[in-house]
Amino acid sequence: MLITLHNITKIYRPGAYQIYALQGISLGVPPGEFLAVMGPSGSGKSTLLHILGCMDQPTAGEYYLAGQMISNLSAKSLAKIRNKKIGMVFQSFFMLPRFTALDNVALPLMYADTNGKSEREMAGAALAKVGLADRAHHLPQQLSGGQQQRVSLARALVNNPELLLADEPTGNLDRETGFQIMKLLIQLNQSQGLSIVMVTHDLEMAAFADRRIVLRDGFIISES
């Protein structure tokens, strides 16, 4: 398994009250799978994604990524794994407005071992992978929403991660552009074997995935 979760629990403690965001989640994701995670607001979707992305740690339980125990690592070690093994795409594009598309894509390489390769060369290859080689020197305001999301996707792919996490990647896009982004994710999944975990509210977008789980109140209530 690429991802193995054993009884993952996440508790937030504002004041004297405990809030259970996740309650005993156990889940396996094999390499190359495209998994959609659904559920109402407050169901635990984003908390699960943050734990998978090494941006948060569970209160209890075990998380293994490619066989390595993740849930007991230091913040520094988590940052290294996040940079080397995980790419992330969000509903908002998070592009630096004064940086070109190429420079935005190259940002993660500032903290990575590129094995002697040029950072700009690697960023250019990632842009070509998402069909935006001809927009490399455009600023964000010169790009459409769909193009900006493609740049964000290229940035997530520039380190050749084993896992791509996508949090509502079509949420800020119109329907047609959203479907274009989903087709691109499918292409990356099928042609390159990229493992994808995507949070979405949209049943049509979730239909692109190999498997779908639904969360409610921190539990997995269904799988299809």
Side-chain angles (χ1 to χ4, degrees):
M1 287 290 176
L2 177 64
I3 293 171
T4 303
L5 303 179
H6 288 306
N7 295 317
I8 292 292
T9 297
K10 181 64 179 181
I11 305 172
Y12 296 105
R13 297 182 173 90
Y17 298 97
Q18 292 188 344
I19 297 176
Y20 283 77
L22 296 174
Q23 305 195 57
I25 297 290
S26 294
L27 179 69
V29 179
E33 184 174 52
F34 189 161
L35 175 69
V37 180
M38 304 192 72
S41 296
S43 62
K45 303 186 304 299
S46 293
T47 299
L48 177 61
L49 207 68
H50 288 167
I51 289 173
L52 293 178
C54 299
M55 295 180 287
D56 199 358
Q57 291 180 295
T59 306
E62 298 176 346
Y63 169 25
Y64 294 86
L65 179 62
Q68 180 180 3
M69 168 77 94
I70 299 296
S71 45
N72 62 350
L73 294 181
S74 67
K76 185 176 181 180
S77 296
L78 289 173
K80 288 182 179 179
I81 289 172
R82 191 163 59 240
N83 186 256
K84 291 179 63 176
K85 295 187 176 183
I86 301 170
M88 301 181 195
V89 181
F90 301 94
Q91 182 172 344
S92 298
F93 312 130
F94 297 122
M95 293 180 64
L96 296 180
R98 296 186 180 180
F99 280 41
T100 65
L102 187 70
D103 291 333
N104 269 283
V105 172
L107 283 172
L109 300 175
M110 294 174 60
Y111 309 100
D113 180 4
T114 61
N115 294 318
K117 294 182 180 178
S118 162
E119 294 177 3
R120 295 176 71 83
E121 178 185 352
M122 292 176 67
L127 280 171
K129 194 178 291 185
V130 299
L132 282 183
D134 60 339
R135 296 291 189 271
H137 300 292
H138 285 58
L139 295 171
Q141 61 265 32
Q142 297 171 314
L143 301 172
S144 68
Q147 289 171 336
Q148 290 187 58
Q149 188 61 294
R150 284 174 180 261
V151 172
S152 299
L153 181 55
R155 183 176 57 203
L157 298 173
V158 72
N159 276 333
N160 295 313
E162 297 177 49
L163 173 65
L164 178 69
L165 302 176
D167 192 357
E168 299 283 358
T170 63
N172 280 341
L173 304 175
D174 63 76
R175 207 76 175 154
E176 182 178 351
T177 305
F179 278 118
Q180 291 172 1
I181 293 296
M182 291 306 305
K183 289 176 182 177
L184 179 57
L185 291 177
I186 286 290
Q187 178 185 342
L188 292 165
N189 172 251
Q190 294 182 348
S191 66
Q192 299 182 30
L194 180 64
S195 303
I196 301 174
V197 177
M198 177 184 70
V199 164
T200 182
H201 284 93
D202 192 321
L203 280 169
E204 285 187 285
M205 300 306 173
F208 283 84
D210 300 318
R211 181 164 56 119
R212 183 177 72 212
I213 63 172
V214 179
L215 299 183
R216 182 171 294 159
D217 299 327
F219 294 99
I220 297 176
I221 62 167
S222 69
E223 179 179 337
S224 60

